[in-house]
């Protein structure tokens, strides 16, 4: 029987699923329409579109896994569905994290101002740098998938030998803990890289402000504004990423105690805020997306006003 807490968390997760798909779908749609109109798309929009698509996949997989684990737990015990679910989550989680990190690196190289020769070399070849980063992360991705498959294969072999219901669930919990731990370890890397990029951006802003003060220039120049705007986006991104990261750690710890299943479910609901809420950071921060979003809101408002205007007037005195 599904408890009141499970039902409440399911409703919250469903709302997050809808909000997240609307935000990510909006970004992908706006960029694709702009691509078709202009016959070209910027590097930032390419990364942002790919990120939105990966987030949509992640939201779908997390939601499907939630409903299966809450209402049809027995379906996860056979190895085939468990393998598809685990690898699917690994794929979408990897690209969601690394595309977001690559976007941070892209804007850091575009905005930051360092005189270091290595930095200038990377800055002039920013597109190649991002491409190389994504290619290198594929090595981590393949290694992650290999580890996942190895643990799942071991569990399936043990599952065939141990046919009792208690041992099946015990082994299943152990496998879930291992796979979650593996994915969390691989999530540390993009989180650490994003944090380093943020600190370097702060250092770049400090150096820039020091330079313009020395030259007696206005401290609110274009470069300063770009730094501040990028830092605001980075702060929102890192906060959401940290929430997601902590939810994974707490889930791993809670798997050791079967009676704390509701804590694991709560962590999943909290963690999904990251892929569901992050798309609204670029929507509100980027001019093109913000203008498109405001246009949609104005269109919806006018439609609502038209619907209200078309309603037949009912005099309250005529109601008995």
């Amino acid at each position: 029987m599904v408890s009141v807490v499970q039902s409440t968390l399911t409703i919250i997760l469903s709302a997050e699923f809808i909000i997240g798909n609307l935000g990510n779908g909006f970004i992908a749609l706006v960029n694709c329409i702009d691509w078709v109109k202009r016959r070209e798309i910027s590097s930032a929009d390419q990364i942002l579109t790919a990120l939105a698509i990966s987030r949509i996949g992640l939201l779908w997989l997390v939601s499907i896994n939630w409903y299966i684990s809450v209402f049809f737990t027995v379906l996860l015990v056979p190895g085939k569905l468990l393998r598809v679910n685990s690898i699917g989550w690994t794929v979408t989680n990897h690209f969601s994290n690394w595309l977001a990190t690559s976007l941070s690196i892209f804007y850091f190289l575009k905005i930051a101002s360092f005189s270091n020769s290595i930095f200038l070399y990377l800055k002039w070849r920013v597109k190649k740098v991002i491409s190389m980063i994504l290619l290198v992360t594929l090595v981590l991705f393949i290694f992650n998938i290999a580890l996942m498959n190895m643990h799942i294969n071991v569990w399936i072999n043990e599952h065939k030998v141990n046919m009792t219901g208690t041992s099946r669930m015990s082994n299943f919990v152990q496998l879930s803990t291992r796979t979650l731990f593996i994915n969390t370890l691989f999530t540390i890397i993009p989180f650490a890289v994003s944090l380093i990029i943020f600190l370097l951006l702060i250092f770049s802003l400090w150096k820039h402000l020091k330079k313009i003060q020395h030259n007696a220039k206005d401290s609110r120049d274009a470069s300063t504004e770009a730094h501040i705007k990028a830092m605001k986006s980075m702060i929102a991104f890192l906060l959401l990423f940290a929430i997601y990261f902590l939810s994974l750690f707490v889930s791993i710890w809670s798997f050791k105690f079967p009676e704390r299943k509701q804590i694991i479910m709560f962590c999943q609901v909290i963690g999904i805020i990251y892929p569901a809420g992050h798309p609204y950071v670029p929507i509100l921060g980027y001019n093109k997306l913000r203008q498109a979003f405001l246009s949609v809101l104005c269109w919806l408002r006018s439609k609502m006003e038209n619907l209200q205007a078309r309603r037949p007037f009912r005099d309250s005195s005529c109601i008995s």
Side-chain angles (χ1 to χ4, degrees):
M1 182 181 290
V2 180
S3 67
V4 176
V5 175
Q6 288 177 328
S7 300
T8 304
L9 292 176
T10 301
I11 293 169
I12 295 171
L13 184 131
S14 300
E16 291 175 329
F17 173 78
I18 295 169
I19 292 169
N21 275 289
L22 286 174
N24 287 298
F26 177 80
I27 290 173
L29 183 62
V30 170
N31 285 336
C32 286
I33 291 172
D34 191 57
W35 185 11
V36 171
K37 286 181 179 179
R38 299 186 180 186
R39 302 294 178 87
E40 62 180 3
I41 184 171
S42 66
S43 298
D45 285 344
Q46 287 178 20
I47 299 170
L48 201 55
T49 304
L51 175 60
I53 293 170
S54 69
R55 292 271 173 80
I56 290 171
L58 180 61
L59 286 167
W60 274 94
L61 278 167
V62 170
S63 299
I64 291 170
N65 179 64
W66 172 277
Y67 284 102
I68 290 174
S69 62
V70 172
F71 300 104
F72 312 101
T73 310
V74 70
L75 293 176
L76 285 173
V77 176
K80 192 172 182 180
L81 182 58
L82 178 64
R83 188 191 300 275
V84 171
N85 180 67
S86 299
I87 292 176
W89 186 76
T90 302
V91 171
T92 53
N93 181 65
H94 172 89
F95 286 104
S96 171
N97 293 332
W98 275 111
L99 285 168
T101 303
S102 298
L103 190 65
S104 300
I105 295 170
F106 178 85
Y107 279 110
F108 166 72
L109 291 174
K110 285 285 188 181
I111 294 168
S113 55
F114 293 107
S115 57
N116 184 276
S117 58
I118 297 174
F119 175 80
L120 293 174
Y121 179 85
L122 296 174
K123 187 181 183 73
W124 294 333
R125 294 164 179 81
V126 61
K127 292 181 181 180
K128 290 183 179 179
V129 170
I130 299 301
S131 299
M132 285 302 299
I133 289 171
L134 292 174
L135 283 173
V136 170
T137 61
L138 287 178
V139 177
L140 295 173
F141 170 67
I142 293 168
F143 187 47
N144 193 354
I145 292 291
L147 282 175
M148 293 282 291
N149 263 322
M150 183 182 70
H151 283 286
I152 292 172
N153 288 334
V154 170
W155 179 81
I156 290 173
N157 292 331
E158 291 178 354
H159 172 70
K160 289 178 180 177
V161 175
N162 300 321
M163 299 302 291
T164 62
T166 305
S167 61
R168 283 181 183 179
M169 287 309 299
S170 177
N171 289 338
F172 174 70
V173 170
Q174 289 179 8
L175 177 66
S176 299
T177 306
R178 289 173 188 170
T179 53
L180 187 60
F181 180 71
I182 290 168
N183 281 321
T184 304
L185 285 179
F186 280 93
T187 303
I188 291 174
I189 304 171
F191 180 74
V193 172
S194 299
L195 190 58
I196 291 168
I197 291 297
F198 177 66
L199 295 175
L200 286 173
L201 197 62
I202 294 174
F203 183 61
S204 173
L205 177 61
W206 176 76
K207 283 194 69 176
H208 177 71
L209 289 174
K210 192 176 179 181
K211 182 180 178 182
I212 61 177
Q213 284 175 1
H214 182 265
N215 296 330
K217 293 181 180 179
D218 185 11
S219 62
R220 304 294 289 183
D221 64 337
S223 181
T224 305
E225 294 290 344
H227 273 83
I228 294 172
K229 185 177 179 181
M231 285 176 60
K232 286 179 180 178
S233 297
M234 281 292 294
I235 289 169
F237 164 61
L238 285 172
L239 284 174
L240 291 169
F241 205 164
I243 290 170
Y244 179 68
F245 192 58
L246 289 172
S247 71
L248 294 177
F249 265 113
V250 176
S251 295
I252 293 169
W253 172 74
S254 298
F255 262 119
K256 297 179 182 179
F257 309 99
E259 68 275 7
R260 296 180 180 176
K261 182 182 177 182
Q262 291 181 345
I263 296 177
I264 298 171
M265 297 177 70
F266 179 75
C267 288
Q268 289 177 335
V269 171
I270 293 298
I272 206 174
I273 293 174
Y274 167 57
H278 184 242
Y280 294 94
V281 175
I283 286 174
L284 298 175
Y286 299 169
N287 289 330
K288 181 179 73 174
L289 293 174
R290 185 171 63 249
Q291 289 173 3
F293 185 68
L294 291 174
S295 297
V296 171
L297 290 179
C298 289
W299 179 79
L300 289 173
R301 182 180 176 182
S302 64
K303 285 290 181 182
M304 291 295 294
E305 289 176 352
N306 289 336
L307 286 173
Q308 290 178 353
R310 289 176 184 177
R311 286 182 181 177
F313 177 77
R314 295 182 65 186
D315 191 351
S316 59
S317 61
C318 298
I319 302 174
S320 55

